[in-house]
Amino acid sequence: MLTLYGYPLSSAAYRVRIALALKGVKVTTVNKQLRRGEHRQKDFLKINPQGCVPVLLLPDGTALTQSLAIIEWLEESHPRPALLPGDLIARARVRSLCQLIACDIHPLNNLRVLQYLESTLNLAQAAREAWYRHWIATGFAALEELLGRDDARGRFCFGDQPGMADVCLVPQIYNARRYSVDLTPYPRIVAIDAACGELPAFASAAPEKQL
Ligand SMILES: N[C@@H](CCC(=O)N[C@@H](CS)C(=O)NCC(=O)O)C(=O)O
């Protein structure tokens, strides 16, 4: 049995939950309460010295970290249904959308970054929220444009089957809504999110379903 160390509101863990559900892979879930700092305690740092979730623990004790690496491992170990297209260029384009979200938007809005803005740089809540919304808006503007240019976009980021980019997109939209980001400039993103929301794999991975 696989064990997923996560947290309901962690968007990186949310990505992995969606990918696992799409693949039909069952896991045991262990939640680390990030607000209480459980991810920085010694027992968890032994599993992931970086002190963040998600971690996927394999039956032989191997701890996989970094959501994109975990999802790529899942893709290779459980190839069906495929989350990446077959064509080489298309694969690169889907990965590029994933990285736009997971490497360029999400890290700027992470808990430890927000805590640093608050406790070290003394930024007030309104300024921290403006920061949060700014980085989502910047990333979503580019993503919306890229989706508009790509003939391969269908109901989902790539074609009419959900894939790796959708797995990354839905948790990021969830965060955007949590912080009241105005989504009207991003109709393609919103439509893809709605299409994903109709699928049980996405619905069952939502934060409110984990509690
Ligand atoms: N790049 C990592 C990010 C992991 C990450 O930062 N996870 C967040 C939750 S979404 C976390 O554990 N944050 C704890 C903190 O910032 O202190 C991934 O994709 O897995």
Side-chain angles (χ1 to χ4, degrees), residues 149-180:
R149 286 185 197 179
D150 197 343
D151 294 341
R153 179 177 52 89
R155 289 190 70 225
F156 299 97
C157 289
F158 184 89
D160 290 322
Q161 298 300 323
M164 211 177 276
D166 308 296
V167 163
C168 292
L169 183 58
V170 165
Q172 193 59 60
I173 299 177
Y174 186 93
N175 283 354
R177 291 203 171 101
R178 265 182 80 209
Y179 277 78
S180 307

Side-chain angles (χ1 to χ4, degrees), residues 82-174:
L83 300 182
L84 284 171
D87 175 74
L88 216 54
I89 297 292
R91 290 164 82 82
R93 289 170 87 161
V94 170
R95 285 184 170 118
S96 139
L97 299 180
C98 294
Q99 290 177 29
L100 188 160
I101 297 163
C103 307
D104 293 342
I105 301 178
H106 172 256
L108 289 160
N109 289 345
N110 223 319
L111 180 63
R112 57 192 175 277
V113 171
L114 298 177
Q115 287 176 338
Y116 184 81
L117 293 178
E118 181 178 5
S119 54
T120 306
L121 301 183
N122 299 315
L123 279 195
Q125 187 174 346
R128 297 196 307 272
E129 289 179 1
W131 164 284
Y132 198 104
R133 291 191 197 103
H134 171 76
W135 294 117
I136 292 184
T138 305
F140 274 10
L143 184 61
E144 180 74 13
E145 177 69 23
L146 284 166
L147 290 169
R149 286 185 197 179
D150 197 343
D151 294 341
R153 179 177 52 89
R155 289 190 70 225
F156 299 97
C157 289
F158 184 89
D160 290 322
Q161 298 300 323
M164 211 177 276
D166 308 296
V167 163
C168 292
L169 183 58
V170 165
Q172 193 59 60
I173 299 177
Y174 186 93

